[in-house]
Amino acid sequence: MSDEQTPRLDPASLHFITRRVSASERAAVAVVLAAQLEQESAQLGAAPGHGTSAWQRSQRPLRTPLVPGLGRWSRPEL
C-alpha cells in the first residue's frame, strides 16, 4: 500500500474512558493501533497457503472402496 492509501489514525479521534490520558499516551496507543491495522491489512492481501484444507482432508475416504464380486467379500483363510 502506498502512503496515500494507508488510512491515518488521528490520536485526537480516539475516545478514552480512562481519565487523565496524556498526549504521549494517546500517541502511543495510536501507534500500536495503526501498526495492528497495517498488519491485518497485509494479511488480508496475502495469498492463501498451498495444500489441502482441513475440510478437504476430512472429505477423503477412510479406506479404499469395497468392490463387489465373486469371492471378494468372503472371510480370508487363516
Side-chain angles (χ1 to χ4, degrees), residues 7-44:
R8 297 289 175 204
L9 187 61
D10 181 21
S13 67
L14 297 175
H15 175 72
F16 290 88
I17 297 174
T18 306
R19 296 180 184 145
R20 295 186 223 129
V21 178
S22 69
S24 61
E25 290 171 333
R26 279 184 187 274
V29 170
V31 167
V32 170
L33 290 176
Q36 184 64 31
L37 286 171
E38 185 177 330
Q39 182 181 8
E40 292 288 328
S41 296
Q43 287 177 352
L44 287 175

Side-chain angles (χ1 to χ4, degrees), residues 45-70:
H50 297 289
T52 57
S53 68
W55 183 85
Q56 289 170 326
R57 286 190 303 271
S58 72
Q59 300 306 306
R60 291 181 181 168
L62 297 177
R63 62 178 181 198
T64 57
L66 297 174
V67 180
L70 184 61

